[in-house]
């Protein structure tokens, strides 16, 4: 027979196991966000929160990107900058004739089967094709403030919290690796607001059961173990 205190202990340990479970056991990966900085051609600069990409399952992140075309080729510059670059300079300098912000929309896995005969043996060939879709927009959004949930939705064009700029006006896109104190304070205050809200909702039995806090680029970029852990989901 399990005593009452033991039941509480088991419940706590079970909850701990869920919160500490590796990403592979989650139904969906959390978003990765960053504090970004854009510089316009007129010299104006803006800092804010951006979503590097989204997850629709527990296997892949699907990065947002800048997309441009030249007379001979097409290119995607992923917003994570391959976790090795600091910034992307003037896209038009690369000879671009078309410029867009490419917002990740969906991911689809397709399996195709083909049966062939080889020397009297039947051979089954299975191909798994992955299809990425992007919504091409002429504007790029950045968020000067954090929403209550901490998660920004950069793919939602009508978000009133976002500041939008024409992609063709952007001269430089940068990811901030070392946060200045004002941003550190903003994120801390936002997390405190969220904790207060979640505690108040809990008292009303309104639990945030499926909530996942975003992961921050500036946290993982300096941690080689965390960086290697999360980076492999981008491919």
């Amino acid at each position: 027979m399990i005593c009452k205190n033991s039941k509480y202990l088991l419940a706590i340990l079970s909850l701990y196991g869920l919160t500490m479970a590796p990403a592979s056991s989650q139904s969906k990966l959390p978003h990765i966000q960053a504090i970004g900085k854009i510089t316009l051609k007129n010299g104006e600069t803006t800092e804010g929160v951006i979503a590097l990409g989204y997850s629709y399952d527990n296997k892949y992140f699907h990065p947002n990107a800048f997309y441009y075309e030249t007379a001979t080729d097409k290119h995607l510059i992923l917003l994570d900058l391959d976790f090795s670059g600091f910034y992307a300079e003037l896209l038009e300098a690369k000879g671009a004739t078309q410029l867009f912000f490419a917002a990740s929309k969906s991911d689809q896995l397709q399996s195709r089967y083909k049966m062939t005969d080889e020397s009297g043996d039947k051979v089954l060939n299975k191909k798994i094709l992955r299809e990425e879709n992007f919504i091409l927009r002429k504007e790029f959004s950045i968020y000067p403030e954090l929403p209550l949930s901490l998660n920004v939705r950069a793919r939602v064009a009508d978000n009133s919290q976002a500041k939008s700029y024409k992609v063709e006006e952007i001269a430089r896109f940068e990811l901030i690796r070392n946060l200045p104190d004002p941003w550190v304070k903003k994120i801390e205050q936002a997390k405190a607001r969220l904790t207060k809200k979640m505690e108040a909702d809990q008292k009303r039995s309104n639990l945030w059961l499926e909530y996942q806090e975003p992961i921050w680029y500036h946290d993982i970029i300096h941690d080689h173990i965390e960086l290697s852990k999360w980076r492999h989901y981008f491919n």
Side-chain angles (χ1 to χ4, degrees):
M1 182 174 180
I2 301 175
C3 70
K4 190 176 295 185
N5 288 340
S6 297
K7 290 182 179 178
Y8 290 142
L9 179 60
L10 286 173
I12 292 171
L13 289 174
S14 298
L15 180 60
Y16 179 81
L18 288 172
T19 57
M20 297 302 291
S24 60
S25 67
Q26 297 175 357
S27 60
K28 183 175 136 180
L29 295 168
H31 298 325
I32 294 183
Q33 297 183 170
I35 305 301
K37 179 179 179 180
I38 60 172
T39 303
L40 303 182
K41 293 176 183 177
N42 64 9
E44 178 187 342
T45 62
T46 300
E47 292 181 359
V49 186
I50 61 168
L52 296 187
Y54 304 105
S55 59
Y56 308 98
D57 51 37
N58 67 349
K59 297 178 181 178
Y60 301 105
F61 281 107
H62 309 283
N64 295 318
F66 289 112
Y67 169 78
Y68 70 93
E69 296 179 2
T70 66
T72 58
D73 211 349
K74 298 176 175 61
H75 298 271
L76 280 172
I77 300 177
L78 304 183
L79 292 196
D80 59 71
L81 300 181
D82 196 31
F83 290 94
S84 58
F86 296 97
Y87 59 86
E89 285 282 8
L90 188 64
L91 299 182
E92 288 183 342
K94 301 178 183 293
T97 57
Q98 291 277 358
L99 290 168
F100 295 96
F101 169 59
S104 174
K105 179 178 181 291
S106 66
D107 171 74
Q108 298 176 0
L109 289 177
Q110 299 179 8
S111 297
R112 293 183 183 176
Y113 296 86
K114 182 181 179 182
M115 189 79 74
T116 58
D117 288 307
E118 292 184 10
S119 302
D121 294 325
K122 288 191 177 295
V123 177
L124 177 65
N125 174 261
K126 177 184 177 182
K127 288 185 179 179
I128 298 178
L129 306 176
R130 196 166 148 217
E131 181 179 295
E132 293 279 353
N133 296 304
F134 297 89
I135 299 175
L136 298 182
R137 295 190 175 122
K138 279 294 190 178
E139 291 190 338
F140 174 69
S141 297
I142 195 166
Y143 297 76
E145 303 296 334
L146 279 160
L148 178 62
S149 69
L150 305 181
N151 284 291
V152 300
R153 306 284 291 181
R155 64 173 180 256
V156 179
D158 60 354
N159 192 314
S160 60
Q161 294 179 327
K163 294 183 69 174
S164 297
Y165 298 90
K166 293 186 182 301
V167 177
E168 61 191 22
E169 295 176 351
I170 298 175
R172 177 180 171 120
F173 168 77
E174 181 178 351
L175 296 177
I176 300 177
R177 296 163 64 100
N178 300 301
L179 290 194
D181 288 341
W183 273 111
V184 173
K185 186 176 180 180
K186 270 189 179 184
I187 293 175
E188 288 176 348
Q189 290 175 338
K191 287 183 177 181
R193 285 196 304 270
L194 175 61
T195 299
K196 186 176 180 180
K197 171 64 173 172
M198 293 175 77
E199 289 174 347
D201 284 350
Q202 185 178 17
K203 292 178 180 178
R204 296 192 292 267
S205 298
N206 183 18
L207 304 180
W208 293 46
L209 296 176
E210 297 183 4
Y211 173 76
Q212 286 181 300
E213 188 172 323
I215 299 166
W216 291 94
Y217 172 86
H218 61 267
D219 285 334
I220 65 175
I221 198 66
H222 298 294
D223 187 324
H224 294 300
I225 295 176
E226 283 296 300
L227 181 58
S228 62
K229 180 175 110 178
W230 292 108
R231 187 177 182 179
H232 84 276
Y233 289 108
F234 285 82
N235 56 18

